[in-house]
Amino acid sequence: MPLFPNERNVRTTPEGLLWEPSERWVRGRKGDITVVDSRHPLLVWEPDLPVPCYAFPREEVRTDLLRPAENPQTGRHTGSQIFYDLEAGGGLVENAAWTFPAADLADHIAFAWFLRWGSGLDHWYEEEEEIFIHPRDPHKRVDAMPSSRHVQIEIGGTFVADTHRPVLLFETGLPTRYYVPREDVRLDLFEATDHSTGCPYKGTAQYWNWSGEGDVPHNILWSYAEPLPAVAPVKGLLAFYNEAVDIALDGERLPRPVTPFTASLKP
C-alpha cells in the first residue's frame, strides 16, 4: 500500500514492463462506437518505448467487437501473446488490440491509438478532455515560462533569431526549448510546409523549412497556433530543434543535445 493516498505505485513485471493504476475515467471510440469505457485503467510502460499506453480490464471493453487477429503482428510490443482485430461500424481494424503475457496484466487489453500507430481507436478521452497521440505520463512535467533571457539562434553562421523575451519550455526528458516571438525571427529565411505533428501536452504544431544553403534538417522550425491550455504562453511563438541549430543563451553557446529526435532530423 502507498504511504500516502496520492503516492505513485509503479510495479514491475518479470518481462520488464512497468505499470500502475490510474484513477482517470478513460473512454476510447472508433467513430461513434464506444469500444472502451473504463474507470480502472492501468498505465503500462514498455522497455523500448518512451511513452505509456493504457491497458483495460476486459469487463470494461467491448470484447464482442474483437476477433483473434488473422495476421498478428510480431515484435511491436513486449512479449505480446494475442492480437485482436476490431470489427466496428462496418469496418475492420487489424491488430487494434493486444494482451501482454505478464501475469499482472493477464485480464487486461491494450489498444492502439490511431494518431500514433496509424490504426486503432481514433478518439480517446480522459474525463471530458480529448487526448491525442498517447496517454499523458503522470511522471512527466511540461512547463512554459516567460523569460527575459537573451536567446540567439544561428543556422550555418546566419543569425535567424535574437530575443530578450523568449518563453522557455521545460519538458521532462528533453532539452529546454526556446520559443521566440515571430517579430524576433527571420521568418523570411524559411518556407512553410504542410507537415504537422500532434502532442498530448502541447497540441498540434505547424512547421517551416530553412530556405538557405547547408545541410539543414527539414521542418527545423515549428509553432503552436492553438496550444493546449497548460502551455498557453507558447501560442504563436517559434521554436527550433536545439539538436540541429546553434543557440547562445545569455552569450554562452549551448552544446547541441542528443535526443530521441536526433536520428530523425535529416536534410
Side-chain angles (χ1 to χ4, degrees), residues 175-176 178 241-249 252-259:
T176 303
Y178 301 93
Y241 278 108
N242 312 39
E243 298 88 337
V245 301
D246 294 310
I247 299 178
L249 181 63
E252 178 183 351
R253 181 66 61 90
L254 302 179
R256 292 188 182 184
V258 176
T259 75

Side-chain angles (χ1 to χ4, degrees), residues 154-173:
E154 295 180 58
I155 294 180
T158 299
F159 280 97
V160 297
D162 191 326
T163 189
H164 286 272
R165 47 184 185 148
V167 170
L168 276 54
L169 191 136
F170 301 93
E171 184 170 353
T172 304

Side-chain angles (χ1 to χ4, degrees), residues 163-255:
T163 189
H164 286 272
R165 47 184 185 148
V167 170
L168 276 54
L169 191 136
F170 301 93
E171 184 170 353
T172 304
L174 291 174
T176 303
R177 301 299 190 188
Y178 301 93
Y179 283 77
V180 181
R182 291 184 179 231
E183 304 81 43
D184 297 337
V185 176
R186 289 286 309 276
L187 200 52
D188 59 304
L189 300 177
F190 297 86
E191 298 175 349
T193 74
D194 59 3
H195 182 62
S196 66
T197 58
C199 172
Y201 305 100
K202 299 184 288 291
T204 301
Q206 60 187 112
Y207 287 79
W208 288 260
N209 283 339
W210 168 245
S211 60
E213 297 180 354
D215 294 330
V216 178
H218 297 302
N219 302 303
I220 191 69
L221 176 65
W222 74 85
S223 179
Y224 290 93
E226 296 294 337
L228 296 176
V231 294
V234 306
K235 181 175 181 176
L237 276 60
L238 299 158
F240 297 80
Y241 278 108
N242 312 39
E243 298 88 337
V245 301
D246 294 310
I247 299 178
L249 181 63
D250 295 332
E252 178 183 351
R253 181 66 61 90
L254 302 179

Side-chain angles (χ1 to χ4, degrees), residues 32-109:
D32 295 329
I33 299 174
T34 298
V35 180
V36 175
D37 189 335
S38 177
R39 288 169 171 79
H40 307 91
L42 302 180
L43 281 165
V44 181
W45 290 263
E46 298 187 59
D48 298 323
L49 296 177
V51 297
C53 66
Y54 274 123
F56 307 97
R58 286 179 176 270
E59 59 269 23
E60 297 179 339
V61 172
R62 287 282 306 275
T63 54
D64 60 301
L65 301 176
L66 300 179
R67 309 284 183 269
E70 292 188 9
N71 301 294
Q73 295 175 330
T74 59
R76 172 168 282 190
H77 301 289
T78 303
S80 32
Q81 292 180 320
I82 301 175
F83 278 91
Y84 298 95
D85 294 338
L86 172 69
E87 292 184 3
L92 177 69
V93 182
E94 293 188 343
N95 297 297
W98 67 92
T99 61
F100 292 108
D104 291 352
L105 307 174
D107 295 324
H108 291 72
I109 299 175

